[in-house]
């Protein structure tokens, strides 16, 4: 059988229609380390990437990347270095910057080269710079004298003279915990809550700014505003919180003049500091701001000297200074309230329609001294009051609260700087004065804040429940990208390792999230350097003991001081799972090269803890639905499931470590861990799938054993049958926790149990997505609410209402329903597996994904027995296609592409390998 090339727009019943890519050849979206525009990096091998769109008649065979040490040299092709990249290697260049001097500039651009030798047009140029190294700073850490600061967010200032015109100026600032920088009174950049949280005793991020156009001859002023952030989080989790010390800053301004000379300004004892209108701030508890203390000119040329005092030289936090490659947090969008009502005298409640993360912008006119208190909650109770229990007040002893004191001079607009909140509802009270504007007239606007990761994956289908789940997943995950992939935006705000590794595949489809996971694996490694005594978890959550943790073994939480203890097998395996998943999606070997030592050590650590190939300790399939509809898991749950899940994680660690070793050329390790993998598989099958199993697999274990390839292929259909029976016996409900859910759907649908999967997807009773929606959810909750009324004032829902690990399964919308997966034989989507999983009840899917190779589309529609499938395969890639049904009306005179029969558990199908292009395939379904 064969395909006839023709235009995508026409579709004849007798043809499968192919059309090449339609756009003119163009290189766009140049990025360094995932960031667009100018940036500074300390990475010795930054990754340069771009996007290609091509004309039907201009199929390139390679890329050419031109690099030079200045923009003019690049444009003039004067001393330009040309690097060639094969088209099938993808639109990326791993650039060796290790030999470049500190603070070097590198300009680059890209073009295509055709088979006939002709070159395409050059892209627009962009640049990056290598950051200063530790010995280049020549600066002191400074802080406000502790006796003067109290809880205030201090400001720092330095006036300096520039005697010559400026041609280039760079400002590097490490302001801990969070900071905002200004030059001559103007804030720099649009980022907020910077830099990202790290283990400050091991590494600290700095933020770089190009301030060339902000400086002038004569007097200039540099200002820095510091907030506590996570560095001085001294209020929650213990009497002293989790503080590393008072806020401090280290900065270097490097100015190049038109004659080649330089002026350098660094933080030292000549700086001055003063209190600010931010009376106090805390990541968890919120911010208090007194506008009567404002001095708008504090960092400008007209700034006064009153109330300013000499700074104090501070000790270094201990960590290496590294440029933050992770895209910063930004104000992503604003949301108006859907309702604003006075729910009791003098108290207003604002409903923003969905659970969000960020803060509110306050616009108000009021008398001087009027105190406006804003309290944030994820939900309200049936009596109209805020439900603060979901924020963990029992543990944090803090309600998310912002307080603004008015200055009384016309309209005032205010947003907090050094805190953020998880909320849908905001309660506003007014004291010590009166508002001159109506509280329901534009007073509050929500500002959504998170790391600005580009959206790469889109999905929509004919079923509203799945579309709702997709929307929830985005809102839940995006709100928890706060420099760290947090578990929730209210109560803990911690980077739990197990929570993180579960959501990596979803995040890699939905966002350009590789920079996030590169940063976070670094957090796991630095947190693992601790070797102090800490908690270790036994086979039951009640069994804990304090004992020394070997250096290099991950902690439960990273980064930060609330590390909890030595990671359990299911959580600590993040150090193996995350680098591997990022490699599969990007084809970038750096995550494996840089983390292989940690991956190897962890797998060997698990081997040392195992007995006859079985691990008995762990946390288990967290947050499973309670069979009786309560929100607490049965107490015997852990001992039933933990060994099976932890051993499955052990198996996957051994398999990944073996494959990683082979990729990195370490054949000795590859053989060793491959043998370990088979030893674990044998033990797993003996204990749980043998004639006399020691434990009975539940839905989660069957799903994972199939999906992770622990079961031999010959056993998977039978296990899928058992899995389907368990779902049916549960009334058509999933009973999986956060580990089992991502594997449940592909294991059912991929083995012919589509009706059972659809029943569970569409169920309206607990536990189900529709049932959760009926409780008012707009994000994924930590625990399924069961039969309880979450708004009962006597017993309210008291778990997080925004927990990304419950959204991890939505990756199946891309990999299963749309059928887009990276081919393990050629990671990074150089080879694509396109195998949509059909499911009764779903008639249409629209899905696209900006992969490491370029745009991929898999959109299909079912109309009776006719299946129509639109495919896009990016330049340089190929796709292994599984077409449901039988190809329709093929012209036998053309043999350009051939399909072969491939009937399997999912039904009749045909397979082919297709080159880059756009296609419309039409088939007849059984």
């Amino acid at each position: 059988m064969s395909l006839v090339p023709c235009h995508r727009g026409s579709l004849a019943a007798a043809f499968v229609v192919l059309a090449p890519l339609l756009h003119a050849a163009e290189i766009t979206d140049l990025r360094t380390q995932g960031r667009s525009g100018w940036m500074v990096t300390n990475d010795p091998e930054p990754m340069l990437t771009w996007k290609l769109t091509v004309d039907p008649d201009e199929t390139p065979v390679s890329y050419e990347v031109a690099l030079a040490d200045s923009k003019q040299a690049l444009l003039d092709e004067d001393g330009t270095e040309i690097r060639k990249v094969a088209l099938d290697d993808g639109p990326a260049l791993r650039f060796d910057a290790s030999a470049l001097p500190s603070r070097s500039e590198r300009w680059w651009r890209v073009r295509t080269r055709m088979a006939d030798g002709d070159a395409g047009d050059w892209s627009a140029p962009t640049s990056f710079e290598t950051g200063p190294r530790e010995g280049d700073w020549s600066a002191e850490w400074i802080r406000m004298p502790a006796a003067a600061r109290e809880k205030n967010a201090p400001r720092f200032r330095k006036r300096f003279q520039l005697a010559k015109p400026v041609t280039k100026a760079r400002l590097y600032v490490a302001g801990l915990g969070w900071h905002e920088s200004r030059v001559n009174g103007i804030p720099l950049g649009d980022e907020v809550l910077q830099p990202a949280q790290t283990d400050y005793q091991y590494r600290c991020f700095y933020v770089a700014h190009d301030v060339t156009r902000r400086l002038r001859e004569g007097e200039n002023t540099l200002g820095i505003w510091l907030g506590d952030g996570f560095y001085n989080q001294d209020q929650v989790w213990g009497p002293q919180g989790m503080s590393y010390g008072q806020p401090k800053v280290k900065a270097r301004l490097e100015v190049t003049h038109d004659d080649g000379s330089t002026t350098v300004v660094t933080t030292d004892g000549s700086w001055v500091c003063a209190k600010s209108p931010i009376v106090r701030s805390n990541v968890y508890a919120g911010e208090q701001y007194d506008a009567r203390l404002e001095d708008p000119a504090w960092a400008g040329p007209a700034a006064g000297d009153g109330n300013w005092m000499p700074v104090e030289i501070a000790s270094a936090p201990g960590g290496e200074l590294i440029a933050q490659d992770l895209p910063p947090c930004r104000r992503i969008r604003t949301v108006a309230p859907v309702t604003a009502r006075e729910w009791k005298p003098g108290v207003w409640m604002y409903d923003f329609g969905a659970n969000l993360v960020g803060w509110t912008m306050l616009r108000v006119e009021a008398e001087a001294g009027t105190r406006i208190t804003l309290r944030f909650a994820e939900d309200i109770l049936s009596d109209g009051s805020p439900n603060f229990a979901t924020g963990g007040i029992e543990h944090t002893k803090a309600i998310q609260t912002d307080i603004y004191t008015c200055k009384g001079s016309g309209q005032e607009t205010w947003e907090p700087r050094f805190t953020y909140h998880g909320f849908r509802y905001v309660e506003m009270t007014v004291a010590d004065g009166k508002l001159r504007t109506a509280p329901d007239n534009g007073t509050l606007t929500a500002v959504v804040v998170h790391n600005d990761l580009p959206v790469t994956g889109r999905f929509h289908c004919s079923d509203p429940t799945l579309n709702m789940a997709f929307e929830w997943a985005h809102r839940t995950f995006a709100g928890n990208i706060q420099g760290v992939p947090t578990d929730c935006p209210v109560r803990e705000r911690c980077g739990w390792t197990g929570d993180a590794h579960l959501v990596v595949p979803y995040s890699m489809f939905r966002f350009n999230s590789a920079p996030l996971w590169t940063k976070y694996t670094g957090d796991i490694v630095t947190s693992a350097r601790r070797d102090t005594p800490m908690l270790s978890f036994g086979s039951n959550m009640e069994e804990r003991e304090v004992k020394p943790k070997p250096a290099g073994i991950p902690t439960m939480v990273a980064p930060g001081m609330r590390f909890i203890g030595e990671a359990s097998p299911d959580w600590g395996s993040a150090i193996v799972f995350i680098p591997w998943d990022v490699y599969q999606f990007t084809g970038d070997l750096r995550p494996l090269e840089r983390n292989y030592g940690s991956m190897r050590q962890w797998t060997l650590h698990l081997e040392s803890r195992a007995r006859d190939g079985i691990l008995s300790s762990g946390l288990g399939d967290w947050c499973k639905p309670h069979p009786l509809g309560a929100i607490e898991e049965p107490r015997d749950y852990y001992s039933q499931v933990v060994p099976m899940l932890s051993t499955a994680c052990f198996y996957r660690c051994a398999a990944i470590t073996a494959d990683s070793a082979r990729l990195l050329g370490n054949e000795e390790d590859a053989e060793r861990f491959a043998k370990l993998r088979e030893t674990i598989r044998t033990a797993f099958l003996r204990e749980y799938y043998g004639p006399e199993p020691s434990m009975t697999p539940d839905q989660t274990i069957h799903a994972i054993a199939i999906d992770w390839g622990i079961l031999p292929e010959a056993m998977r259909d039978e296990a899928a049958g058992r899995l389907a029976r368990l779902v049916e016996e549960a009334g058509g409900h999933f009973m999986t926790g956060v580990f089992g859910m991502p594997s449940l759907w592909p294991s059912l649908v991929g083995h012919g149990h589509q009706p059972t999967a659809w029943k569970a997807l569409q169920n309206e009773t607990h536990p189900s997505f529709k049932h959760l929606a009926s409780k008012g959810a707009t994000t994924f909750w930590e625990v399924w609410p069961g039969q309880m009324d979450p708004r009962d004032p006597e017993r309210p829902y008291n778990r997080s209402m925004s927990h990304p690990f419950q959204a991890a399964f939505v990756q199946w919308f891309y990999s299963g329903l749309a059928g887009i997966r990276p081919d393990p034989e050629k990671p990074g989507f150089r080879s694509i597996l396109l195998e949509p999983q059909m499911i009764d009840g779903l008639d249409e899917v629209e899905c696209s994904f900006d992969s490491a190779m370029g745009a991929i589309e898999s959109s299909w529609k079912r109309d009776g027995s006719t299946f129509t499938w639109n495919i896009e395969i990016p330049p340089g890639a190929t796709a292994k296609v599984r077409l449901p049904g039988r190809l329709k009306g093929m012209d036998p005179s053309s043999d350009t592409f051939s399909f072969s029969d491939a009937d399997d558990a999912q039904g009749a199908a045909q397979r082919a390998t297709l080159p880059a292009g756009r296609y419309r395939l039409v088939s007849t379904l059984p």
Side-chain angles (χ1 to χ4, degrees), residues 191-213:
E191 62 265 17
V192 296
L193 306 179
Q194 294 298 286
Q197 181 191 8
T198 55
D199 286 305
Y200 303 106
Q201 72 273 41
Y202 299 124
R203 63 174 183 165
C204 302
F205 286 163
Y206 66 85
V207 178
H209 299 280
D210 179 352
V211 295
T212 307
R213 298 183 179 181

Side-chain angles (χ1 to χ4, degrees), residues 651 677-678 680-686 688-690 701-720 751:
Y651 170 87
R677 176 196 63 210
E678 294 310 311
I680 302 165
R681 188 205 302 268
T682 299
F684 187 90
L685 296 179
R686 178 190 70 238
Y688 312 129
Y689 285 86
I701 300 307
H702 283 311
I704 283 177
I706 296 167
D707 191 37
W708 292 8
I710 307 174
L711 293 180
E713 191 168 349
M715 296 178 65
R716 293 174 194 170
D717 281 347
E718 181 183 353
H751 290 269

Side-chain angles (χ1 to χ4, degrees), residues 436-478:
R436 298 191 183 111
T437 51
D440 60 347
N441 187 22
T443 301
L444 286 184
T445 301
V447 181
V448 175
V449 175
H450 56 75
N451 285 96
D452 192 9
L453 302 182
V455 170
T456 53
R458 291 150 289 274
F459 177 90
H460 189 269
C461 70
S462 56
D463 179 65
T465 300
L466 298 185
N467 292 334
M468 174 186 69
F470 184 79
E471 180 182 342
W472 288 1
H474 175 94
R475 191 178 291 126
T476 306
F477 180 77

